[in-house]
Amino acid sequence: MRSDQVTEGPARAPHRSLLRALGIGRADLGRPFIGVANSFNELVPGHMHLRAVAEQVKYGVYQGGGIPLEFDVIGVCDGLAMNHEGMNYSLVSREVIADSVEIMARAHALDGLVLITNCDKIVPGMVMAAGRLDLPAVVVSGGPMLAGSHQGRRVENKDVLEGVGAYFRGRLTAEELRDLEEVACPTCGSCAGLFTANSMSCLTECLGLALPGDGTLPAVFSARLELARRSGVQAVEAVRQGWSARRFLAPASLRNALTLDAALGCSTNTVLHLIAIAHEVGLRLPLETFNEVSAHTPHLVKLSPAGHFYMEDFHRAGGVMAALWRLAAAGLIDGSVPTVSGWDLARQYRVAEPRDDEVIRPLDRPYSPTGGLAVLFGSLAPGGAVVKEAAVLPGMLQHRGPARVFDDEASAVEAIAGDAIEPGCVVVIRYVGPKGGPGMPEMLTPTSTLVGAGLDDRVALVTDGRFSGATRGACVGHVVPEASDGGPIALVRDGDIVSIDIPERRLDLEVPADELAARRSVWRRPPEKASGVLSRYVATVRGADQGAVLG
């Protein structure tokens, strides 16, 4: 075991003395040391209950014969960070989380890890750390929030965001908006729809790093505590068996995750995060692979924001394993891959026949014969761009219109809220990529304001930033190269025609090449205004097509 480096031999007497100060006795020294990385804090609704989850994990580690050693990592609530400078720090936090887990595990010679996670960047950050360290690791999510209820319909935080746009258009009164905000988030947990946090938790379960049910079991269900306890037990077993993380983060498992991603219509952020996870284990995951997998994968599940079902419905219908049961029947899943349960994936999903054919559609009645995400290429995005096709209205799958260009998010929101956006146009928000943002902020406020204003069936949005999983509509993000790197999006002017053809996977700027060359000759990169951690991030971050990793 790695912990022998601090427990064995006369030279380690000082180390053992310090362990005694922690209450670790002589009889404990031969047990596996399991780091319990807890992302608990009192700022993120998805994390406020993680103390209780951690206690059960630690009980499980004890039951399994290990020594649990808890430490904390940071976490950003994207909802609270939205539409102000806080959003510049969200994606940056993913790297800080991965680095923090690496530092704690290596510095203290831990034998294994339980990674207690939940919201947006925390899930991928911890999975990235597991892959980087290649230690035995089990991921435990805090689980999704339950949906709220408002005037006879179920709602969640997305509805409040869209309600703001409706308020600005006079379609909702201030009192109605206030009533909505008070009921939309009724419990702790990650937001109730298939947004980034829940998307990544579902994919982590599919990868085999979490026990069955972890991606969908609601935060407030008591079964979540029992699952946490079993995860602690299994972390010790993983150490004893030598099941390190890269055993599960292998090409076949990543392919399974891409297939599930397509079938569920997950958040566009999963593209960034899966590429980053692959990078940590030395694998390359080109953007084209997402289109290749999507072309052969039916879209079977349509949760909010694309549909009217929520995570609690998906869990009731059988969750991730039931979706894999369907996909395996079509020969789309490699069931031979291992999981931290000790079983192969097939043994887990064979007993998970779907319990609701509306929530998890049969193969002969999919929402679409192809998957929920699409990567577009073209003259406006030579390196690619990403759209959640499953959340686009049919009439907007192809759209061509004049550009309305904004060099920051605030100006775009002001124009949308001020009724200054003409139907038929394409809103372009640039200089918000990994370097330009900096930190590639989410554009949820402008997209939600468009929906709330009733323009999502007539206006598209294109950006080198990214979107929340709550985004719906013809919203194309992750444009590469970004504006700060001098990509074509930096050269767009008001009135230029932008063409979006999602079925054909195209995103084009209809401007002659000689005109673009003339514009490029006078283009200058805006001066960098970042400082502190953001400045260091800008200096090393790669493009969205490379997962916005550092290096």
Side-chain angles (χ1 to χ4, degrees), residues 180-475:
L180 177 59
E181 72 180 65
E182 290 178 352
V183 298
C185 299
T187 75
C188 61
S190 50
C191 294
L194 190 64
F195 311 146
T196 304
N198 294 326
S199 293
M200 286 306 303
S201 289
C202 288
L203 298 185
T204 301
E205 183 180 330
C206 177
L207 286 168
L209 277 173
L211 296 182
D214 187 70
T216 58
L217 184 61
V220 294
F221 282 18
S222 297
R224 170 65 59 185
L225 300 178
E226 191 266 339
L227 178 65
R229 191 163 59 252
R230 286 194 289 115
S231 297
V233 172
Q234 207 59 29
V236 180
E237 179 66 15
V239 171
R240 289 183 172 140
Q241 297 293 336
W243 295 338
S244 60
R246 294 191 186 185
R247 169 184 169 89
F248 312 109
L249 298 175
S253 295
L254 282 166
R255 181 94 179 183
N256 285 342
L258 289 176
T259 301
L260 181 67
D261 195 335
L264 301 186
C266 289
S267 163
T268 52
N269 284 310
T270 59
V271 176
L272 278 177
H273 300 325
L274 287 174
I275 292 173
I277 290 166
H279 170 79
E280 292 289 356
V281 299
L283 299 175
R284 185 171 174 269
L285 191 57
L287 280 173
E288 292 85 354
T289 309
F290 290 83
N291 281 343
E292 176 200 339
V293 172
S294 183
H296 299 94
T297 305
H299 182 205
L300 302 179
V301 177
K302 206 164 192 175
L303 307 181
S304 177
H308 62 276
F309 293 117
Y310 294 88
M311 290 301 296
E312 60 201 80
D313 302 307
F314 186 34
H315 181 71
R316 173 180 50 79
V320 168
M321 292 301 144
L324 293 177
W325 187 93
R326 285 261 196 257
L327 294 167
L332 297 173
I333 294 295
D334 183 348
S336 68
V337 299
T339 75
V340 292
S341 72
W343 295 354
D344 63 22
L345 188 64
R347 189 172 175 185
Q348 291 183 164
Y349 64 64
R350 281 195 196 111
V351 295
E353 185 172 351
R355 297 189 288 269
D356 190 322
D357 286 351
E358 289 307 309
V359 177
I360 306 173
R361 289 274 185 96
L363 292 168
D364 61 358
R365 193 166 53 87
Y367 287 101
S368 166
T370 58
L373 291 180
V375 179
L376 314 184
F377 296 91
S379 60
L380 186 52
V386 182
V387 63
K388 189 170 184 174
E389 183 176 8
V392 179
L393 293 171
M396 292 296 290
L397 291 171
Q398 295 171 309
H399 183 78
R400 181 176 178 273
R404 279 295 311 278
V405 183
F406 302 91
D407 288 348
D408 59 77
E409 177 189 8
S411 300
V413 173
E414 182 180 358
I416 298 167
D419 203 17
I421 299 298
E422 293 292 327
C425 76
V426 177
V427 174
V428 176
I429 306 177
R430 63 190 180 191
Y431 296 108
V432 290
K435 294 179 183 176
M440 205 179 181
E442 291 181 346
M443 298 292 109
L444 180 58
T445 299
T447 59
S448 297
T449 307
L450 279 172
V451 172
L455 293 172
D456 57 317
D457 61 344
R458 290 166 289 172
V459 173
L461 189 147
V462 174
T463 180
D464 53 5
R466 60 191 180 89
F467 299 117
S468 163
T471 293
R472 60 189 176 107
C475 301

Side-chain angles (χ1 to χ4, degrees), residues 124-143:
M126 288 201 174
V127 176
M128 288 165 65
R132 183 187 303 175
L133 291 162
D134 198 25
L135 288 174
V138 180
V139 177
V140 181
S141 164

Side-chain angles (χ1 to χ4, degrees), residues 61-106:
V61 171
Y62 275 126
Q63 286 177 340
I67 300 297
L69 298 163
E70 184 179 355
F71 61 91
D72 295 320
V73 301
I74 64 166
V76 172
C77 177
D78 279 20
L80 291 174
M82 196 70 64
N83 196 28
H84 59 87
E85 67 172 349
M87 184 44 68
N88 298 112
Y89 293 87
S90 174
L91 189 57
V92 175
S93 73
R94 185 188 72 178
E95 316 308 311
V96 175
I97 290 162
D99 291 349
S100 296
V101 175
E102 176 191 2
I103 289 168
M104 293 297 287
R106 291 292 188 216

Side-chain angles (χ1 to χ4, degrees), residues 36 38 40 46-60 70 114-118 140-143 214 219 221 224-229 231-232:
V36 179
N38 190 358
F40 163 80
H47 293 235
M48 61 178 288
H49 61 306
L50 294 187
R51 278 177 173 161
V53 172
E55 287 304 308
Q56 294 301 317
V57 165
K58 290 188 287 185
Y59 289 148
E70 184 179 355
V114 179
L115 304 168
I116 304 176
T117 180
N118 215 24
V140 181
S141 164
D214 187 70
F221 282 18
R224 170 65 59 185
L225 300 178
E226 191 266 339
L227 178 65
R229 191 163 59 252
S231 297

